[in-house]
Amino acid sequence: MAGIIIKSLVTFFAIFGFVQLLREFVGYMFSKIDNDDLVVVIKVRNSEETIEATVRMVIWKSLSYSHGGRIPDILIVDMGSDDSTPIIAKKLCDDYSFIHYTTEDLYNKAKE
């Protein structure tokens, strides 16, 4: 009896894994998003404790197969922070070429 249960579970997980793999492959092949034109804008204010985790989450989410495994440009807009948020954001810009930093004033001028 235990052998039948084990074989059934192994078969179930094998089929489930195959379906997941097929779904990811089809999603990757027919992905219509061109990440060269995609920019993620993150507006921050006094976010020294969360900014790095937020940026890293965007990076990891973008690397998933459902997004084609490509990282979009990330624009960090400082909305007038009084803490060390700008320093951390500028360090992230130095570490990663796809991360950019600007202030609220410059961002608003660029939108016009």
Side-chain angles (χ1 to χ4, degrees):
M1 181 69 167
I4 294 173
I5 293 173
I6 291 173
K7 286 181 183 179
S8 298
L9 286 173
V10 168
T11 303
F12 170 78
F13 285 117
I15 292 171
F16 179 77
F18 178 74
V19 169
Q20 288 295 101
L21 181 65
L22 185 62
R23 191 186 84 163
E24 292 289 332
F25 178 74
V26 169
Y28 176 76
M29 294 303 291
F30 294 104
S31 176
K32 294 185 177 161
I33 296 176
D34 183 13
N35 283 354
D36 293 338
D37 298 332
L38 186 63
V39 177
V40 175
V41 177
I42 303 173
K43 294 184 178 182
V44 294
R45 181 165 189 228
N46 297 331
S47 303
E48 66 184 3
E49 295 182 15
T50 59
I51 185 173
E52 191 169 355
T54 301
V55 170
R56 293 189 189 283
M57 181 198 62
V58 169
I59 293 169
W60 281 108
K61 287 285 187 180
S62 298
L63 286 174
S64 71
Y65 287 124
S66 62
H67 292 94
R70 293 169 283 181
I71 302 172
D73 284 341
I74 298 173
L75 177 61
I76 300 172
V77 180
D78 184 15
M79 306 298 283
S81 296
D82 298 328
D83 60 1
S84 62
T85 298
I87 296 168
I88 297 169
K90 289 175 185 174
K91 180 170 178 353
L92 288 168
C93 291
D94 292 341
D95 291 345
Y96 302 100
S97 63
F98 54 87
I99 298 176
H100 311 281
Y101 171 81
T102 190
T103 61
E104 180 181 15
D105 294 335
L106 293 174
Y107 178 71
N108 288 332
K109 286 179 185 176
K111 283 191 339 183
E112 294 174 354

